[in-house]
């Protein structure tokens, strides 16, 4: 089952293991990472998971683990595959490396970190996507996703006859109706939308008088109102907070009460 919050492990470097373990102790059951050393330390996420298992905090079966395949262009020199190999081989090598890093024999979700071009769904994307589907068919991956996509990527992927993803993970800007057109595509195709940078991309929403007013009345923070709003419109939120109190607050945002009018107004802030 997909949890209602994902703890993101980007940009934590030597704090990655401890923060992953802390997130699990605080109650997160979904972990997002990537086999992209430039922004993530996937092996340290695995160390954090192992520490939590050892301490009896959680078992593998209770967790939702998501990681990503990142093209050469999105990586630095620390590659999880042979750059001279074809893309299908790179995907297989990256998955194998992720499973070793995470100490597991399957991941719950495997995401194409970003398409090869901003202009559309390319032959490279089709090859990587087909290779990801083979990993799924072989049981090493349960569900597939794509990230950093525009509507045209999704439309072209669907038009190609390839299977549509189970997840779309995008940076979510309030000023674009919280990624309205991509969310609408997801709703039509039964795709679960995952939103990141909900706070950092939207300072104007956090400062907005409506959000601030709801937060003050409910004695919660504007960040909690935004996370609860995201949940109310069917989004799966990511948070990568490094702060124990923010971890608690983010999970507790589930209980913030928003009326349907408030949800609609926040959705149309831009
Ligand atoms: N697919 C992609 O290309 C992609 C790109 C970016 C991110 N991601 C994923 O998304 C995850 C989250 O990244 P993000 O861009 O959303 O940023 P983030 O890492 O979650 O950063 C949130 C920022 O807001 C601050 N903050 C203040 N109050 C907060 C609260 N109540 N709860 C949470 N944060 C609060 C945090 O500071 P404190 O640390 O002090 O709380 C932090 O500086 C990443 O770790 C990664 O897994 C994916």
């Amino acid at each position: 089952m997909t949890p209602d919050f994902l703890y993101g492990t980007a940009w934590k470097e030597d704090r990655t293991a401890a923060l992953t373990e802390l997130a699990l102790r605080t109650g997160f059951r979904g972990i997002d990472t990537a086999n992209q050393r430039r922004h993530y330390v996937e092996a340290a996420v695995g160390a954090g998971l192992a520490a939590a298992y050892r301490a009896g905090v959680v078992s593998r079966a209770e967790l939702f683990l998501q990681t990503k395949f990142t093209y050469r262009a999105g990586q630095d020199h620390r590659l999880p595959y042979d750059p001279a190999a074809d893309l299908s081989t790179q995907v297989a090598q990256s998955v194998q490396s992720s499973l070793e890093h995470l100490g597991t024999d399957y991941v719950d979700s495997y995401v194409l970190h970003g398409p090869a071009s901003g202009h559309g769904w390319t032959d490279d994307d089709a090859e990587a996507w087909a290779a990801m589907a083979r990993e799924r068919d072989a049981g090493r991956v349960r569900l597939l996703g794509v990230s950093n996509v525009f509507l045209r990527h999704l439309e072209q992927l669907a038009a190609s006859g390839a299977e549509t993803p189970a997840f779309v993970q995008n940076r979510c800007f309030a000023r674009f109706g919280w990624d309205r057109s991509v969310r609408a595509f997801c709703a039509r195709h039964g795709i679960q939308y995952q939103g990141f940078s909900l706070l950092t991309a939207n300072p104007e929403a956090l400062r907005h008088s409506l959000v601030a007013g709801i937060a003050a009345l409910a004695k919660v923070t504007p960040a909690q109102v935004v996370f609860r709003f995201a949940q109310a419109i069917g989004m799966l939120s990511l948070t990568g907070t490094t702060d124990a109190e923010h971890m608690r607050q983010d999970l507790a945002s589930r209980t913030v009460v928003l009326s349907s009018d408030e949800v609609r107004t926040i959705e149309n802030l831009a």
Side-chain angles (χ1 to χ4, degrees), residues 3 11 44 48 57-58 64 85-86 100-101 136 141 151 169 189 263:
W11 312 304
V57 173
V58 70
F64 176 91
D86 59 44
E100 286 164 18
H101 286 159
R136 190 266 323 279
V141 164
L151 179 60
Q169 181 183 109
H189 289 83
V263 171

Side-chain angles (χ1 to χ4, degrees), residues 7-12 32-33 40 68 113 147-148 169 171 196-200 221 223 227 238-243 246 249-250:
Y7 183 70
T9 59
W11 312 304
K12 295 177 172 61
D32 177 82
T33 188
Y40 298 78
K68 311 184 191 86
H113 208 154
S147 182
N148 298 301
Q169 181 183 109
R171 180 166 279 124
F196 63 85
S197 301
L198 281 162
L199 306 182
T200 50
T221 66
F227 283 129
L238 286 103
T239 174
T241 180
T242 58
D243 182 283
H246 287 163
Q249 288 175 350
D250 294 353

Side-chain angles (χ1 to χ4, degrees), residues 158 164-165 184-191:
T164 48
F185 181 97
C186 290
R188 284 197 301 280
H189 289 83
I191 299 168

Side-chain angles (χ1 to χ4, degrees), residues 81-103:
Y81 46 70
D82 174 3
D86 59 44
L87 269 175
S88 300
T89 306
Q90 289 183 12
V91 168
Q93 290 177 349
S94 198
V95 169
Q96 183 56 36
S97 159
S98 285
L99 297 180
E100 286 164 18
H101 286 159
L102 297 171

Side-chain angles (χ1 to χ4, degrees), residues 136-155:
R136 190 266 323 279
D137 294 344
R140 289 185 282 271
V141 164
R142 295 261 159 99
L143 295 166
L144 299 179
V146 292
S147 182
N148 298 301
V149 288
F150 296 125
L151 179 60
R152 58 175 166 271
H153 291 113
L154 294 169
E155 287 176 341

Side-chain angles (χ1 to χ4, degrees), residues 10 47 76 117 185 233-234:
D76 61 17
S117 160
F185 181 97
I233 59 169

